[in-house]
Amino acid sequence: VQLQASGGGLVQPGGSLRLSCVASGNIFSINVMGWYRQAPGKQRELVAVIVNGGSTSYADYLKGRFTISRDHAKNTVSLQMNSLKPEDTAVYYCNALIRTESTTRAYWGQGTQVTVSS
């Protein structure tokens, strides 16, 4: 099983970016998908998660600026990030709780850099 993230880059404050992450491999089902981020010198923190039924949860500090969505048919999770701030600069990682034939466990993507700077 692999998670491949894409969509990061350099954006000016107030701008937008859309991150995507696709899961591939011998997947039986995906229970939860989400995004985390890690800024330099800081611990990895939760950004947003979405569960099978469509319920979502966001970090309090986002205040409605980000939206997580999922395409079940394509095993993809996306993160639309609007009104970006310099403090959003971080490596963003996708995460998924995936069931295979032999196990159910969490998988991490490789991370994609988001830099918010003028």
Side-chain angles (χ1 to χ4, degrees):
V1 174
Q2 284 189 323
L3 296 181
Q4 182 69 42
S6 61
L10 173 64
V11 64
Q12 291 186 343
S16 298
L17 279 177
R18 185 176 180 86
L19 306 182
S20 293
C21 176
V22 59
S24 61
N26 187 20
I27 297 170
F28 184 79
S29 63
I30 302 177
N31 301 327
V32 183
M33 300 191 84
W35 291 94
Y36 291 72
R37 71 185 189 184
Q38 188 167 17
K42 295 187 177 181
Q43 290 187 334
R44 192 172 298 187
E45 61 183 5
L46 172 70
V47 177
V49 294
I50 183 167
V51 300
N52 264 351
S55 295
T56 58
S57 180
Y58 296 90
D60 290 340
Y61 58 77
L62 291 178
K63 297 183 179 179
R65 296 186 295 120
F66 293 6
T67 302
I68 190 170
S69 60
R70 183 176 163 185
D71 185 329
H72 289 264
K74 298 181 179 179
N75 288 338
T76 299
V77 62
S78 297
L79 185 69
Q80 177 66 42
M81 305 186 294
N82 298 326
S83 302
L84 284 162
K85 304 176 181 181
E87 51 263 42
D88 294 319
T89 295
V91 178
Y92 284 71
Y93 298 90
C94 61
N95 173 275
L97 184 62
I98 295 175
R99 179 183 175 188
T100 65
E101 288 186 347
S102 58
T103 188
T104 299
R105 71 171 185 90
Y107 292 83
W108 290 93
Q110 84 284 8
T112 184
Q113 176 70 47
V114 171
T115 302
V116 185
S117 175
S118 55

mmCIF file of all heavy atoms in Angstrom, residues 30-31 50-56 70 72:
data_model
loop_
_atom_site.group_PDB
_atom_site.id
_atom_site.type_symbol
_atom_site.label_atom_id
_atom_site.label_comp_id
_atom_site.label_asym_id
_atom_site.label_seq_id
_atom_site.Cartn_x
_atom_site.Cartn_y
_atom_site.Cartn_z
ATOM 1 N N ILE A 30 -10.874 1.584 3.084
ATOM 2 C CA ILE A 30 -10.227 2.707 3.760
ATOM 3 C C ILE A 30 -11.231 3.311 4.724
ATOM 4 O O ILE A 30 -12.310 3.731 4.317
ATOM 5 C CB ILE A 30 -9.739 3.775 2.762
ATOM 6 C CG1 ILE A 30 -8.765 3.160 1.755
ATOM 7 C CG2 ILE A 30 -9.084 4.931 3.498
ATOM 8 C CD1 ILE A 30 -8.284 4.134 0.689
ATOM 9 N N ASN A 31 -10.873 3.341 5.996
ATOM 10 C CA ASN A 31 -11.812 3.789 7.017
ATOM 11 C C ASN A 31 -11.746 5.289 7.261
ATOM 12 O O ASN A 31 -12.772 5.946 7.406
ATOM 13 C CB ASN A 31 -11.548 3.041 8.327
ATOM 14 C CG ASN A 31 -11.695 1.545 8.157
ATOM 15 O OD1 ASN A 31 -12.498 1.063 7.369
ATOM 16 N ND2 ASN A 31 -10.903 0.797 8.905
ATOM 17 N N ILE A 50 -11.394 12.883 7.581
ATOM 18 C CA ILE A 50 -12.722 12.571 7.069
ATOM 19 C C ILE A 50 -12.906 11.067 7.174
ATOM 20 O O ILE A 50 -12.024 10.281 6.815
ATOM 21 C CB ILE A 50 -12.893 13.072 5.617
ATOM 22 C CG1 ILE A 50 -14.305 12.801 5.115
ATOM 23 C CG2 ILE A 50 -11.856 12.487 4.676
ATOM 24 C CD1 ILE A 50 -14.640 13.551 3.818
ATOM 25 N N VAL A 51 -14.054 10.665 7.720
ATOM 26 C CA VAL A 51 -14.328 9.247 7.908
ATOM 27 C C VAL A 51 -15.265 8.739 6.826
ATOM 28 O O VAL A 51 -15.784 9.516 6.016
ATOM 29 C CB VAL A 51 -14.915 8.978 9.313
ATOM 30 C CG1 VAL A 51 -13.931 9.430 10.376
ATOM 31 C CG2 VAL A 51 -16.256 9.671 9.483
ATOM 32 N N ASN A 52 -15.496 7.435 6.829
ATOM 33 C CA ASN A 52 -16.265 6.804 5.758
ATOM 34 C C ASN A 52 -17.629 7.430 5.530
ATOM 35 O O ASN A 52 -18.055 7.592 4.393
ATOM 36 C CB ASN A 52 -16.438 5.319 6.047
ATOM 37 C CG ASN A 52 -15.402 4.485 5.344
ATOM 38 O OD1 ASN A 52 -14.663 4.991 4.512
ATOM 39 N ND2 ASN A 52 -15.341 3.206 5.658
ATOM 40 N N GLY A 53 -18.297 7.772 6.584
ATOM 41 C CA GLY A 53 -19.634 8.328 6.439
ATOM 42 C C GLY A 53 -19.658 9.770 5.965
ATOM 43 O O GLY A 53 -20.730 10.314 5.691
ATOM 44 N N GLY A 54 -18.497 10.372 5.850
ATOM 45 C CA GLY A 54 -18.417 11.742 5.369
ATOM 46 C C GLY A 54 -18.215 12.778 6.452
ATOM 47 O O GLY A 54 -18.012 13.957 6.165
ATOM 48 N N SER A 55 -18.261 12.365 7.703
ATOM 49 C CA SER A 55 -18.036 13.319 8.787
ATOM 50 C C SER A 55 -16.604 13.807 8.764
ATOM 51 O O SER A 55 -15.677 13.045 8.459
ATOM 52 C CB SER A 55 -18.328 12.659 10.137
ATOM 53 O OG SER A 55 -19.687 12.316 10.237
ATOM 54 N N THR A 56 -16.449 15.073 9.090
ATOM 55 C CA THR A 56 -15.131 15.689 9.053
ATOM 56 C C THR A 56 -14.802 16.321 10.408
ATOM 57 O O THR A 56 -15.699 16.657 11.185
ATOM 58 C CB THR A 56 -15.048 16.769 7.968
ATOM 59 O OG1 THR A 56 -16.060 17.756 8.232
ATOM 60 C CG2 THR A 56 -15.286 16.182 6.588
ATOM 61 N N ARG A 70 -13.234 13.733 -0.024
ATOM 62 C CA ARG A 70 -12.753 12.403 -0.373
ATOM 63 C C ARG A 70 -13.521 11.863 -1.569
ATOM 64 O O ARG A 70 -14.724 12.079 -1.689
ATOM 65 C CB ARG A 70 -12.920 11.471 0.824
ATOM 66 C CG ARG A 70 -12.389 10.073 0.609
ATOM 67 C CD ARG A 70 -12.490 9.250 1.863
ATOM 68 N NE ARG A 70 -12.368 7.842 1.559
ATOM 69 C CZ ARG A 70 -12.517 6.869 2.439
ATOM 70 N NH1 ARG A 70 -12.794 7.163 3.703
ATOM 71 N NH2 ARG A 70 -12.391 5.612 2.081
ATOM 72 N N HIS A 72 -14.250 8.321 -2.867
ATOM 73 C CA HIS A 72 -14.146 6.914 -2.479
ATOM 74 C C HIS A 72 -13.749 6.031 -3.661
ATOM 75 O O HIS A 72 -12.952 5.104 -3.516
ATOM 76 C CB HIS A 72 -15.470 6.428 -1.898
ATOM 77 C CG HIS A 72 -15.773 6.994 -0.558
ATOM 78 N ND1 HIS A 72 -15.491 6.328 0.626
ATOM 79 C CD2 HIS A 72 -16.324 8.172 -0.185
ATOM 80 C CE1 HIS A 72 -15.870 7.057 1.651
ATOM 81 N NE2 HIS A 72 -16.382 8.193 1.189
#
